[in-house]
Amino acid sequence: MSELSVHHVVHSPLNLRGLGSNFKRTEVPLLRQGLVFIAYKRRKKPEEKSTTKNFLLPRHTRQKYIVTFSGNCWFVAGAATLATSDKALFERVVPPDQDFDASYAGAFRFNFWWYGTWTEVIVDDYLPTDGRELIYCHNRERPDELWPPLLEKAYAKLRGCYEALDGGQMKDAMVDLTGGISEVISLEDKDKVNYELYDLLVCSFSMKSMLGASISRPVGSTESEVGMSNGLYMGHAYSITGFQQLKTSKSVVRLMRLRNPWGRGEWNGAWSDNSREMQSLPSDIRAEMDARSVDEGEFWMSFEDFVKNFQEIQLCHLQIDAMVEELRDNQNKQNWNVMVYHDEWIRGVTAGGRCNPPNERLYWSNPQFYLNLSKTDTVLSSRGECTIIISLMKKETDKNALIAIGFDVYRLRKPDLRPLNERRAPENTLDMAKTSGNYECYREVTKRMVLPPGHYVIIPSTYLPNEEAKFMLRIFTEKFANSSVMEEKPDMSPILSPKDFVYDLFNKIAGSDSMLDAAELQTFLSAVSEEGGQHVA
């Protein structure tokens, strides 16, 4: 049931050029039921839409005007962030050696990091339109650039249909586009937001981490996005594309640049394009900040206004060092030891839920993973400690989207006495070492921990028992660490259920012939009623 991933498989690209223009078209359904929305939203091939077609335009146009009219702003925001990131990262997902030139084959290929493996997805070039225009993701400024809608189609194919992209987390899109590790910073409690958060975001951004932010949708709203008087939208995700600190006569202003994936709709408060604050800056500073008085979807705002209006920051760390404060300013990047496991929660078998009454006995049936931290950090700490980052990723399906997940970490006294169960846990464990925090309905839950050397067990679980889902567990350590699945081992004194007690008592009295005579039967029944009453009850 459990499997240790040793290698990440990279699929070899299909030789599309050898196909000519005879690639067999495979439909990507709009809805999970395979229905079209309405008749006029039919697909058209790019050559039916325009006489000029380009797969990929020069790099400077990639980040402009990528828009969407469905509920997939989370994916479009992630794709737009990728387009403005490192060229090698972008071209790993969107191979540039394909176009509408003489080698056109009627199909295009894209690569996604899908639960631990880089997976190639091939799609034809039929795209959803309203009869005249593309209806989903596209470059509004240059509609002849077609990698955005084709990438979106490939991602919809990977997830099953376009409807599967309706609603999601921007960090999940960024992980699927990079293979990075996600992190969520909540801004719900404004009074607890650390003043140093801005510096953390700047350092993560400088280390190529991809950043985004979202505003929660109002409770009870029937609209996917709700406009606000300040120009922002609730129920919407934005890319974070830059930082700037300006010295004024009174203080230093900490600014953030954000981008609406629609390519329109901007913040209209302080430091927006036409604000008094922005217009008071010298023209050369405004040019350096690329602040223009046009509605292009990109805008500046102060960090303080950002915290007031947004509820969540979503990050995808391409270099895991960005999650570790000690390494953010260190140019000598750390090589991490990575362990990857694939497992699942199965109803009635390994889906024990969290360790809370009345289901605490079931908790120990969850999958358990042993970790031996024997070597202390030399880069991250000089205090004889071990840095560990744990990522738990639920493999999403239509049925488990609302399943909340989390994990606990216990330190073991007796590492050979495993896996933990109701009897062994008090004998074998110290207090809980760490926890992932509140259970969340996110696809991925990540936690950075600093632990003393020792033997540990990691127990991932769902919030409620008997909730089924497959998952991937990633463990990052500075030094090599031994790990394994905590499989059941023979135990000389197992916990006996009523059935086990009666069975063992029968074998003891019956002997090798497995039969009871009259005297043995009387002895057996007496023992069950008198000595075994506590078990039977």
Side-chain angles (χ1 to χ4, degrees):
M1 178 165 52
S2 299
E3 175 187 353
L4 173 62
S5 290
V6 180
H7 302 289
H8 284 178
V9 178
V10 179
H11 294 270
S12 299
L14 179 66
N15 182 10
L16 298 179
R17 298 183 185 276
L19 294 176
S21 59
N22 298 318
F23 179 77
K24 184 178 179 180
R25 184 165 71 95
T26 56
E27 193 80 8
V28 177
L30 296 175
L31 299 178
R32 291 185 175 92
Q33 294 85 354
L35 304 175
V36 296
F37 290 152
I38 47 181
Y40 70 83
K41 291 187 178 179
R42 62 189 181 88
R43 286 172 167 77
K44 281 192 174 184
K45 293 184 69 172
E47 61 264 31
E48 298 172 359
K49 164 69 177 65
S50 172
T51 57
T52 303
K53 304 175 298 297
N54 294 281
F55 177 69
L56 191 63
L57 290 172
R59 180 169 174 76
H60 71 276
T61 65
R62 288 180 187 158
Q63 70 269 34
K64 301 300 182 182
Y65 314 111
I66 301 175
V67 300
T68 179
F69 293 102
S70 64
N72 69 337
C73 63
W74 59 281
F75 172 71
V76 178
T81 304
L82 176 71
T84 61
S85 64
D86 184 77
K87 180 180 179 182
L89 292 174
F90 179 81
E91 292 185 349
R92 179 168 57 184
V93 176
V94 184
D97 60 340
Q98 46 190 343
D99 210 333
F100 293 93
D101 53 19
S103 61
Y104 168 70
F108 293 87
R109 70 184 192 278
F110 301 90
N111 298 303
F112 301 95
W113 189 87
W114 195 240
Y115 299 114
T117 300
W118 279 101
T119 302
E120 184 177 75
V121 178
I122 299 172
V123 293
D124 60 43
D125 50 4
Y126 280 72
L127 298 168
T129 76
D130 61 3
R132 296 180 300 107
E133 303 289 341
L134 295 172
I135 60 174
Y136 295 147
C137 177
H138 62 277
N139 187 326
R140 189 175 69 178
E141 186 180 62
R142 292 293 303 272
D144 56 317
E145 183 179 40
L146 294 174
W147 74 263
L150 290 170
L151 175 69
E152 179 188 43
K153 179 176 181 177
Y155 195 57
K157 180 178 180 180
L158 183 68
R159 284 183 166 264
C161 63
Y162 277 93
E163 187 189 11
L165 306 188
D166 187 9
Q169 296 283 331
M170 180 181 172
K171 65 184 180 66
D172 294 340
M174 294 189 292
V175 168
D176 292 343
L177 293 168
T178 65
I181 185 170
S182 71
E183 182 181 15
V184 174
I185 299 175
S186 174
L187 303 176
E188 290 284 354
D189 192 339
K190 310 300 183 183
D191 295 333
K192 293 185 178 180
V193 175
N194 194 313
Y195 180 84
E196 297 177 352
L197 175 60
Y198 182 85
D199 295 330
L200 183 152
L201 297 176
V202 171
C203 289
S204 295
F205 187 77
S206 68
M207 296 180 69
K208 306 301 183 183
S209 293
M210 300 169 65
L211 281 63
S214 60
I215 304 175
S216 300
R217 187 173 62 177
V219 177
S221 173
T222 58
E223 299 292 331
S224 57
E225 288 98 8
V226 178
M228 303 165 63
S229 60
N230 60 19
L232 300 177
Y233 285 83
M234 293 182 284
H236 198 50
Y238 295 78
S239 305
I240 298 175
T241 62
F243 297 86
Q244 182 85 27
Q245 298 190 59
L246 298 175
K247 292 183 179 180
T248 68
S249 58
K250 297 181 179 180
S251 62
V252 175
V253 180
R254 301 178 299 171
L255 299 177
M256 300 175 62
R257 186 175 62 203
L258 288 88
R259 187 178 183 283
N260 187 335
W262 290 342
R264 56 178 175 80
E266 300 182 4
W267 160 257
N268 57 32
W271 295 104
S272 60
D273 291 348
N274 296 309
S275 67
R276 175 179 53 82
E277 294 85 355
M278 186 64 71
Q279 294 303 315
S280 67
L281 294 177
S283 58
D284 59 330
I285 299 296
R286 293 203 306 272
E288 180 184 337
M289 296 173 63
D290 196 23
R292 296 181 289 175
S293 299
V294 293
D295 186 6
E296 58 176 8
E298 196 163 48
F299 55 88
W300 290 92
M301 67 189 308
S302 71
F303 175 65
E304 289 71 23
D305 281 333
F306 170 80
V307 171
K308 289 178 183 177
N309 286 278
F310 286 81
Q311 278 76 52
E312 190 173 83
I313 301 172
Q314 301 180 18
L315 306 92
C316 177
H317 301 295
L318 309 182
Q319 297 173 157
I320 197 172
D321 306 28
M323 289 193 67
V324 182
E325 185 175 355
E326 294 84 349
L327 287 180
R328 289 200 183 99
D329 298 320
N330 189 342
Q331 298 303 313
N332 298 316
K333 302 309 177 188
Q334 173 67 25
N335 291 321
W336 292 82
N337 178 65
V338 184
M339 295 148 277
V340 183
Y341 291 91
H342 296 267
D343 210 318
E344 59 185 313
W345 296 292
I346 302 174
R347 181 182 179 88
V349 182
T350 59
R354 63 174 182 158
C355 190
N356 276 31
N359 302 308
E360 61 268 33
R361 295 184 63 181
L362 297 176
Y363 171 77
W364 304 108
S365 65
N366 285 300
Q368 302 179 20
F369 301 88
Y370 168 74
L371 179 67
N372 179 15
L373 299 176
S374 59
K375 298 180 180 180
T376 59
D377 296 344
T378 56
V379 176
L380 302 177
S381 174
S382 59
R383 300 187 296 269
E385 298 171 320
C386 306
T387 298
I388 174 175
I389 298 174
I390 301 175
S391 165
L392 174 63
M393 182 180 289
K394 175 179 62 180
K395 299 184 179 181
E396 290 182 314
T397 66
D398 294 345
K399 296 180 180 180
N400 69 18
L402 297 180
I403 293 179
I405 61 173
F407 57 85
D408 300 319
V409 181
Y410 295 89
R411 190 174 182 185
L412 302 176
R413 288 192 183 99
K414 302 177 181 179
D416 292 331
L417 191 59
R418 49 180 170 154
L420 298 180
N421 56 31
E422 188 180 16
R423 178 183 61 79
R424 295 173 186 155
E427 177 183 355
N428 193 15
T429 63
L430 302 172
D431 293 336
M432 183 186 297
K434 293 287 183 178
T435 176
S436 61
N438 295 332
Y439 280 71
E440 302 283 359
C441 291
Y442 297 138
R443 186 180 70 167
E444 184 176 20
V445 175
T446 303
K447 185 76 172 182
R448 177 222 173 180
M449 308 172 180
V450 179
L451 301 172
H455 302 273
Y456 295 87
V457 57
I458 303 169
I459 304 182
S461 69
T462 58
Y463 182 77
L464 297 174
N466 294 319
E467 293 184 310
E468 293 193 321
K470 295 181 179 180
F471 66 85
M472 179 176 70
L473 181 72
R474 291 188 284 173
I475 308 168
F476 301 81
T477 56
E478 178 187 320
K479 299 299 182 181
F480 176 81
N482 287 312
S483 67
S484 64
V485 179
M486 291 184 63
E487 301 286 1
E488 184 70 52
K489 292 185 177 181
D491 190 352
M492 298 304 293
S493 56
I495 299 175
L496 296 178
S497 66
K499 180 179 178 181
D500 294 330
F501 171 76
V502 173
Y503 180 80
D504 287 356
L505 182 63
F506 175 87
N507 287 334
K508 180 179 179 180
I509 296 176
S512 59
D513 62 357
S514 297
M515 298 181 65
L516 297 176
D517 58 25
E520 291 172 334
L521 177 60
Q522 184 176 5
T523 301
F524 172 74
L525 294 175
S526 298
V528 170
S529 60
E530 295 176 9
E531 299 179 26
Q534 57 179 333
H535 295 280
V536 175

